[in-house]
Amino acid sequence: MAFEGHEQILAVQDAPSGLRAWIAIHALDPQPAFGGIRILDYRSERDALFDALRLSRIMTYKCALAGVQGSGAKTVVIANSINDRAAAIRVLGRHIEGLGGIYRAGPDAGFTSEDQQVLMEETQYIAHFGVDGRMQSAGDATAEGAMHGILRALELRSELRVEETTVAIQGLGSVGVSLAKRFLELGARVVGADADSSKIAFAQNIGVTIVPPSKILSTSCDVLVPCAMGGTIHDVSIPRIQASIVAGVANNTLGHDSQAALLKENNITFLPDFALNAGALIEGSHNLHTNENSCPQKLAEIGETIANILQRSDDDKLSTIEAAFVLASEKVIATKNH
Ligand code: NAD
């Protein structure tokens, strides 16, 4: 099957609620397969399937790099076909429950806390529960892990202290605003943009300087963090970037993996998304195995993962994304040989 052979691809459909979704399980060794539920508008079922295949494959590499006992999966729900959201989530939950635990679902873009509540009534197989049994917001863990990765990259690739840097964030949602808070607390200047006015008002209140969405990628900054939808860093946007570090938080930040080489040619260090944004996965899997809510030490290890990727990229003259894939593949092979 597409993208190195997926283990299972399920088409989930329910006419009364308008649910049309794909559950793509990339690998099942080791188990469980972890993957968020993405609920977005798609032009076609084919586009949604393509997203599910691409994202679930990346999750396998993300698990390997993060040292998480698990493999990759993803659920993609076509938001524009839903006519009864709660009923649609219930049907989806029953399908996830029917998989018997080989797949652990978590949150992803477009999945709301109301969706979480409904899903939890239908399935126990959800990653990222708190000790109180409620599902936790994953944005903080993702932001915390990404912060460690960015700080390590600044140490290795920049002369600047964090207080001297400007961090520009595209998308001030769950992860973006949490990352903004952290960098403001560290004394950095934070510039941000969002398409949603309620997000802008909140970010402005905590001290983020707002620019229009059309200006954020070309804004003058040291670190640019795409934190909205994937694919915003591409052949057209790259020449406009002024940052020396692009920190991938949005899944599939690059339009295509080859654009990591173009960033390198432009003297821009790219921090691969599937290494940098693993915080929620790390916390979710830690919670599953230990029943403890938080694991700050493990989130901080993302800094070392980023350092290893940058080192491998230098040593083997690879783009950072190639280096990350090499490191992840080595870890997958090492796990299978154990
Ligand atoms: P979110 O939906 O809470 O926030 C995304 C924000 O981006 C929204 O506020 C939206 O209005 C804004 N946005 C959309 N298009 C924009 C544009 N063109 N310009 C500016 N703003 C725009 O999502 P999130 O949970 O914060 O996730 C952000 C990204 O990080 C997604 O790509 C997601 O897949 C990825 N990610 C999230 C997590 C997590 O824990 N939530 C984990 C790993 C990866």
Side-chain angles (χ1 to χ4, degrees), residues 38 108 138 142 171 173-175 193-196 199 213 227-228 249-251 277 280:
R38 175 170 280 207
D108 194 69
T142 303
S174 155
V175 184
D194 202 289
D196 176 339
K199 305 284 172 63
C227 212
V249 168
N251 284 317
N277 72 14

Side-chain angles (χ1 to χ4, degrees), residues 261-285:
L262 183 58
L263 285 166
K264 194 171 185 212
E265 277 168 32
N266 284 264
N267 291 321
I268 300 169
T269 300
F270 177 62
L271 311 183
D273 41 279
F274 60 96
L276 194 69
N277 72 14
L281 170 70
I282 292 170
E283 199 175 81
S285 117

Side-chain angles (χ1 to χ4, degrees), residues 38 40 55 59 62 74 107-111 128 137-143 169-177 192-200 211-214 216 226-230 232 248-253 273 276-281:
R38 175 170 280 207
L40 293 180
L55 290 162
M59 280 300 290
K62 197 191 282 198
K74 200 71 164 188
D108 194 69
F111 185 79
H128 228 264
S137 156
D140 283 339
T142 303
I169 304 179
Q170 180 190 43
L172 297 163
S174 155
V175 184
V177 83
D194 202 289
D196 176 339
S197 55
S198 64
K199 305 284 172 63
I200 291 171
V211 298
S214 59
I216 190 73
C227 212
M229 292 300 107
T232 59
V249 168
N251 284 317
N252 294 324
T253 294
D273 41 279
L276 194 69
N277 72 14
L281 170 70

Side-chain angles (χ1 to χ4, degrees), residues 29-45:
D29 179 19
Q31 282 191 28
F34 288 105
I37 299 174
R38 175 170 280 207
I39 309 184
L40 293 180
D41 289 349
Y42 286 90
R43 275 179 302 187
S44 67
E45 285 182 356

